[in-house]
Amino acid sequence: GQQVMQIPQYQHVQEGEDFTTYCNSSTTLSNIQWYKQRPGGHPVFLIQLVKSGEVKKQKRLTFQFGEAKKNSSLHITATQTTDVGTYFCAGVTSGTYKYIFGTGTRLKVLA
Amino acid sequence: KAGVTQTPRYLIKTRGQQVTLSCSPISGHRSVSWYQQTPGQGLQFLFEYFSETQRNKGNFPGRFSGRQFSNSRSEMNVSTLELGDSALYLCASSLGTGTNEQYFGPGTRLTVT
């Protein structure tokens, strides 16, 4: 079936270092969404990418959607302790508009 | 605007029992999706309801069912509980289809003993 893989599964960084998580789908997506889940919390929507090759920025966060609409990345510049949490991508399938969540990347930031 | 609410927040059940979880979406949202979250499997999609109709379904056995009422509130039912059903069950509401952002509730933590 359709799958969305995310790498890495875990990432520990020193505060101030950069961080990137990658999302890869087995099929072409209609759009992709990114969510952040703090420890003990629930996923919170960050952004949606729709167009092939789209790049969006939110302060220190940069999101990209691949040209083939099958992969995406989230890059955080100069991480802070508030960035701690698990980052999920959610691919939305073409036609059926079903959300398929990636496996998530758990980020730990060491002060 | 009030967020997504889920009740109960915590539940302990015994194997073989059944359970019903409730979700109230954000006012005006017509789509409600349900997810199962476990440490090993991540976020697994259960089903999505829109205007009282099931639009999408994940790969879960028939023991998992749901429904949506005319006021968009949704319930999820799990019959004949198994130990492996222990998980955090999250519901998410959105305005419409998969092109809209989802707003998640705090979840119901279900423990099956």
Side-chain angles (χ1 to χ4, degrees), chain A residues 78-96:
Chain A
T79 54
Q80 299 174 358
T81 53
T82 52
D83 295 326
V84 163
T86 301
Y87 292 85
F88 291 97
C89 62
V92 180
T93 60
S94 299
T96 58

Side-chain angles (χ1 to χ4, degrees), chain A residues 12-25:
Chain A
H12 294 183
V13 299
Q14 286 290 137
E15 191 173 20
E17 289 183 338
D18 292 356
F19 159 77
T20 305
T21 173
Y22 300 90
C23 192
N24 293 291
S25 168

